[in-house]
Amino acid sequence: MGKTSAVKTFLNHYRYRFLYFDLSPYIGLRAVSLRSLVPAEIGFNEFSISSEAQLGLAVVSFRLKRLEVTSEVFQSNLVTLLQELSKRFRRFVLVFDEAQVLPFIKGINYRGLLQLIHNNYHNISVVLTGSMPGLLERVVSPANASMPGFARYIEEIEVPKWSREEAVEFLKQGLRERGIAYIEEELEAAYEELSGVPGFITYYGLLRTRGHNHEEALAKASEYATTLWERDLKAFIQIYNSPLYIHTLAALAETITGASWSEIMKELEMRTGKPVSKSTLHRIINNLLRAAMIQKKFNKYIITDRPMKRAVKKLAKTL
Amino acid sequence: MVVFSDRSVTKLDNLFGRGHREAVERLRSAVEEGYFIAVLGARRVGEN
């Protein structure tokens, strides 16, 4: 239950017509095939649009087996389809889930496409979701900041983690509804250990309903969280292409109260055996902050997410 | 009703958390205005 749930609930509850592109399987890949853009969900009646637009939809869905869909063919058919959708429906929503993948799709001029929608189809809204804010900024910001672009009109919506009260109340309600006994301290511990991330808390609840006791459920949920973080961290490192990110995170993972700029600098130089420039460290810290992997508290940088700390320690051992 | 599932939630009744529900409302306002929208979450969690 995170940003995808919020977006899907919004589409379903208000019955908007939509096309949903799920790019989450491709996070971390540097070369992504055009086929990743096959819509995962088509949220309108396909037979309500013209035969030309139906053909366009068939092409962008790769349903026509005899047709070789090049990026040019894909883009022109998508534009034909969007023209029709804009005329046919009062409002239409295009969703790109984990949109930070867009720049890695081969042959697609995604910025041009978004600009075209922005300039010409005023009743089509584009929803871009992302778990790495810094990377999503790259997707939406024009390379030249003085250039007028769709990025100027982007509404940012943050789907937060749960508070302690929300996480505990969610677990209480769910366990009570299924008649499963619990102790409040267990639920507090689950919140602490899983750092309030809704997906991990939900998974803990799911395990409790499948017969696992608190200790087993927490251990499994925690392991699951650490494994997912490891995968995300690897994807992040692959994109930024530098082991210094893991060294920085590893240095922070060893601390309880975080580390200052100069402490990180010393630690990095010790770990790598080489001098690190101020500009390099500035870039690393900035990118980690923008990706919400670290936080700044009272001039110190800190990792607050416990499963992530464990994942960092595991990855650091492989360097 | 609380749903313990590793799949995405699609019903408002099952969407838990003030921030999540506020996001749904803000999405609606932004779409009605015809805006482009960036939805940010701290991290990706499997399919949900």
Side-chain angles (χ1 to χ4, degrees), chain B:
Chain B
M1 182 179 172
V2 162
V3 177
F4 288 145
S5 167
D6 52 3
R7 294 199 170 190
S8 305
V9 164
T10 56
K11 288 184 180 167
L12 195 59
D13 286 347
N14 298 335
L15 192 70
F16 202 88
R18 205 177 72 185
H20 287 67
R21 284 171 164 261
E22 278 174 7
V24 169
E25 289 311 312
R26 287 190 60 199
L27 272 162
R28 188 191 190 194
S29 309
V31 165
E32 284 304 315
E33 294 292 337
Y35 292 154
F36 276 31
I37 305 148
V39 180
L40 303 171
R43 59 151 286 106
R44 180 172 57 92
V45 185
E47 293 304 312
N48 55 14

Side-chain angles (χ1 to χ4, degrees), chain A residues 202-212 216-218 220-221:
Chain A
T202 306
Y203 187 56
Y204 165 83
L206 183 66
L207 292 169
R208 292 289 303 260
T209 62
R210 289 190 181 162
H212 293 280
E216 290 166 350
L218 191 54
K220 273 183 182 283

Side-chain angles (χ1 to χ4, degrees), chain A residues 46-159:
Chain A
E46 292 180 41
F47 301 107
S48 68
I49 56 177
S50 69
S51 50
E52 195 189 359
Q54 281 185 40
L55 182 63
L57 181 59
V59 172
V60 301
S61 303
F62 288 82
R63 287 185 204 150
L64 304 177
K65 289 193 176 132
R66 287 188 191 162
L67 179 74
E68 191 197 344
V69 182
T70 61
S71 53
E72 288 78 19
V73 169
F74 182 92
Q75 286 178 98
S76 66
N77 277 276
L78 184 57
V79 171
T80 304
L81 176 62
L82 293 175
Q83 274 171 351
E84 166 91 7
L85 296 171
S86 172
K87 281 188 205 149
R88 182 75 58 178
F89 301 116
R90 187 184 69 83
R91 294 274 170 214
F92 194 85
V93 185
L94 271 186
V95 182
F96 294 94
D97 201 353
E98 300 294 355
Q100 64 264 29
V101 171
L102 280 173
F104 300 100
I105 301 175
K106 286 185 287 183
I108 285 288
N109 174 12
Y110 73 93
R111 277 205 177 122
L113 187 65
L114 296 179
Q115 191 73 58
L116 180 127
I117 297 168
H118 185 266
N119 293 349
N120 298 291
Y121 308 126
H122 295 181
N123 57 340
I124 297 183
S125 284
V126 175
V127 175
L128 306 161
T129 84
S131 53
M132 296 179 181
L135 297 182
L136 195 58
E137 257 172 50
R138 268 193 195 178
V139 172
V140 296
S141 300
N144 177 354
S146 64
M147 215 169 80
F150 55 87
R152 300 259 169 114
Y153 309 98
I154 287 235
E155 175 91 349
E156 275 197 14
I157 298 175
E158 199 181 335
V159 180

